[in-house]
Every structure is written in C-alpha cells, then in structure tokens.
C-alpha cells in the first residue's frame, strides 16, 4: 500500500499544483480584464499584447540579473526548445488576433478550449504520461461545460475557424513543453525566453498602431497586463513541476469562472443560467479529476 507519509506528501504536492494552476488562471483573467478595459478606451490589441510581453521581459530580466546570469548558461539544444516553446505562445497570440477579425469571441473561445483534448492526445507520446479512460471522461465533462458557457452553435464556419485550431494545438504543445522543461530549467529562465521573443516579435507590430496613453490610470492598467501575465506564467511553470500536464490542463477551465466574476464586478454583466450551469460542470470536472488522482495514489 506504500508509505502513508509518502502518499500524504504526493497528495500535498498535487494540491499545491492545483492551487497554483487556479491562481495562475485568476491572474490571466485579470490580464484579460485589464485588456478589455483598455480596448474599450481605444487602444490597439497589438499594442497591449506587446506591453504584456515587454513588461514580463523587464521583470524577468531584473530577476535574472539579481540572481546571476549564470542561470542562462544552458546547452544550445535547451535554448532551442525554450524558443520553440515561446514561439508557440507568441504565434498563438498573433493567429488569434488575425482570426478575431473574422470570427466572434464565442467561436474563437470554443475552438481555443479544445486545447486540453490535444494535451491528452499528445502528452502520452511526448511525455510518456498515462491518460486513462476516466480522466478522458472528466476532461470531456469539462469541455461540455465550456460549450454550455460559450454556446458556439449556429454560427457559420469559415476558413478562420479552421485557422484557430493552430493556437489550440500551439497551447497544448506549449503546456507539454513547459512540463518537459520544468524538470531542468528554472521558471525565471523560461519567463526570460518567452518575454524576449514576444517583445522582439511584437515590437514592430505595436509601433505601427501605437497610441500614447493619455491618463495615468491607463499606464497602471497597461502595467497590470504584464505583471499579472508574468505572475500567472510563474505559477503555471511551478505547477507543472509538481503535476502532469494532462492532469493540470482541465483546470484551465477555471479561467471562465474567474472571467464571469470579473464581468460582474468590473463590467456589471451578470451571467445567465447557461453560464452558471457551465461553471458547475467545469468545477465538477476539476473535482472529479482531483479525486481520481487521489484515489489512484491511495
């Protein structure tokens, strides 16, 4: 049956990973809430995306300098994987911006949340992780909850919808590479590579649509976009050091719950019954996955 202390330690590690994942999604929702507020103020999405990566890069640069640049002395192959990981997220952001010109937020969100399915599909051959039938069923339950919330039905399918599968797959691969790198690369180095690539790629695009902030509060929200994104990714990386990618990914659905709360508190948009029902299904999915993992280790 195993050592009780060891089992308790494993469960504690998993619990910490889940809490970190939930906190990361709360921070990501704060990033998107700030972005929505600024978009309503007339700022371009590419400018805000650039600020997200630029602020993140500034924070991680200070962290790396404080702790010593020797942490950046990694094999060339590791840096290659780091930049592939970063390019997946930055590329997903750019493709998402392009697709948003043609698709509604409802459809893009529905396709993006197919990412956990790709994680379960790819984590086996890439990470050697076991994804059983029960976990597949629980992931499916969470995905049903997402569909109930966003209701992507009855819309015309066009080429941009197919294109949105690219960021969904990209996010899945990003999560898997995070898990793979987390064993040997610290969080600050992964953040540094992500911020560097995102800043370099998005800088020229942002400059072409740049609008200078006119109010101090705008600067505060712009800074919050990057700070919350940095903190969210920090927790995301640390969570992946403690649990499997296929186990953690369904908890990304909690992002919708946090966004519903932000809608009520910030934009006074009360969720309807379908949104609340979907939130219940999403929460049930997370609880069932956690319980299944605990039972398997008992």
């Amino acid at each position: 049956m195993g050592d009780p202390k060891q089992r308790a330690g494993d469960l504690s590690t998993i619990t910490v990973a889940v809490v970190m994942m939930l906190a990361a999604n709360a921070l990501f929702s704060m990033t998107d809430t700030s972005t929505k507020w600024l978009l309503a103020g007339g700022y371009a999405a590419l400018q805000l995306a650039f600020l997200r990566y630029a602020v993140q890069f500034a924070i991680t640069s200070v962290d790396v300098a404080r702790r010593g640049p020797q942490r950046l002395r990694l094999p060339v192959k590791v840096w290659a994987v780091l930049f592939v990981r970063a390019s997946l997220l930055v590329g997903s952001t750019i493709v998402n911006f392009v697709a948003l010109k043609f698709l509604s937020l409802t459809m893009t969100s529905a396709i993006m949340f197919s990412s956990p399915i790709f994680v379960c599909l790819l984590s086996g051959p890439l990470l050697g992780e076991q994804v059983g039938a029960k976990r597949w069923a629980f992931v499916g339950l969470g995905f049903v909850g997402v569909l109930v919330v966003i209701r992507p039905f009855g819309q015309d399918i066009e080429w941009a919808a197919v294109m949105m599968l690219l960021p969904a797959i990209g996010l899945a691969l990003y999560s898997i590479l995070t898990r793979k790198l987390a064993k040997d690369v610290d969080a600050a180095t992964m953040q540094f590579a992500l911020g560097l690539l995102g800043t370099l790629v998005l800088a020229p695009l942002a400059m072409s649509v740049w609008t200078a902030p006119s109010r101090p509060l705008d600067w505060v929200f712009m800074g919050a976009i990057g700070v919350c994104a940095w903190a969210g990714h920090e927790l995301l990386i640390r969570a992946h050091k403690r649990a499997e990618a296929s186990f953690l990914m369904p908890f990304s659905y909690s992002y919708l719950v946090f966004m519903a709360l932000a809608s009520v508190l910030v934009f006074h948009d009360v969720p309807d019954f379908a949104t609340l029902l979907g939130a219940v299904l999403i929460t049930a999915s997370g609880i069932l996955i956690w319980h299944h993992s605990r039972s398997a280790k008992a």
Side-chain angles (χ1 to χ4, degrees):
M1 294 180 64
D3 186 354
K5 291 184 178 180
Q6 180 65 40
R7 294 201 305 270
D10 290 343
L11 291 176
S12 177
T13 298
I14 290 174
T15 301
V16 170
V18 170
V19 171
M20 285 182 169
M21 192 70 176
L22 295 176
N25 285 315
L27 288 165
F28 291 145
S29 71
M30 292 173 65
T31 293
D32 288 348
T33 300
S34 298
T35 300
K36 181 177 175 63
W37 191 88
L38 290 166
L39 286 170
Y43 295 99
L46 284 174
Q47 177 179 348
L48 301 179
F50 164 74
L51 287 168
R52 168 176 175 151
Y53 287 105
V55 173
Q56 178 179 338
F57 178 56
I59 294 174
T60 53
S61 295
V62 172
D63 187 32
V64 168
R66 180 175 60 85
R67 298 186 184 184
Q70 65 270 12
R71 65 177 57 234
L72 300 180
R73 296 170 184 169
L74 298 170
V76 174
K77 290 183 178 180
V78 174
W79 273 109
V81 177
L82 280 170
F83 283 122
V84 168
R85 171 185 175 271
S87 66
L88 286 168
L89 189 61
V90 175
S92 295
T93 301
I94 295 173
V95 173
N96 186 47
F97 285 149
V98 174
L100 283 173
K101 296 180 181 179
F102 307 98
L103 300 177
S104 69
L105 287 171
T106 300
M107 182 172 287
T108 55
S109 298
I111 301 171
M112 188 69 75
F113 270 96
S114 65
S115 182
I117 306 301
F118 291 111
V119 169
C120 285
L121 181 65
L122 297 172
S123 60
L126 294 181
L127 293 178
E129 298 177 356
Q130 298 296 319
V131 182
K134 284 187 176 180
R135 192 176 294 181
W136 270 109
F138 299 151
V139 169
L141 177 63
F143 187 61
V144 169
V146 172
L147 293 178
V148 171
V149 170
I150 60 181
R151 285 154 286 177
F153 310 106
Q155 303 213 17
D156 294 332
I157 301 296
E158 51 183 295
W159 68 268
V162 178
M163 185 178 69
M164 276 301 298
L165 289 173
L166 294 176
I169 297 173
L171 287 177
L173 290 170
Y174 172 85
S175 178
I176 291 173
L177 287 181
T178 298
R179 169 66 175 172
K180 199 173 186 67
L181 288 166
K183 298 177 182 178
D184 304 308
V185 182
D186 60 52
T189 303
M190 283 193 270
Q191 292 266 47
F192 180 85
L194 177 61
L196 174 62
L197 188 69
T199 300
L200 293 177
V201 170
L202 289 171
L205 300 175
M207 294 306 105
S208 66
V209 294
W210 189 268
T211 299
S214 58
R215 297 176 298 175
L217 187 59
D218 292 353
W219 281 112
V220 172
F221 278 100
M222 287 182 180
I225 291 174
V227 171
C228 290
W230 166 80
H233 281 288
E234 188 79 10
L235 289 173
L236 186 70
I237 293 169
R238 294 183 184 277
H240 279 84
K241 286 179 178 289
R242 292 169 168 82
E244 296 179 356
S246 57
F247 169 77
L248 288 175
M249 195 61 180
F251 289 94
S252 63
Y253 294 134
S254 64
Y255 166 80
L256 293 177
V257 178
F258 292 122
M259 286 300 294
L261 292 174
S263 295
V264 173
L265 298 176
V266 179
F267 301 107
H268 308 292
D269 183 11
V270 180
D272 57 16
F273 174 76
T275 300
L276 293 176
L277 175 60
V280 170
L281 293 175
I282 293 165
T283 303
S285 171
I287 293 174
L288 288 169
I289 291 170
W290 176 81
H291 180 72
H292 175 66
S293 177
R294 183 180 66 175
S295 299
K297 291 180 177 294

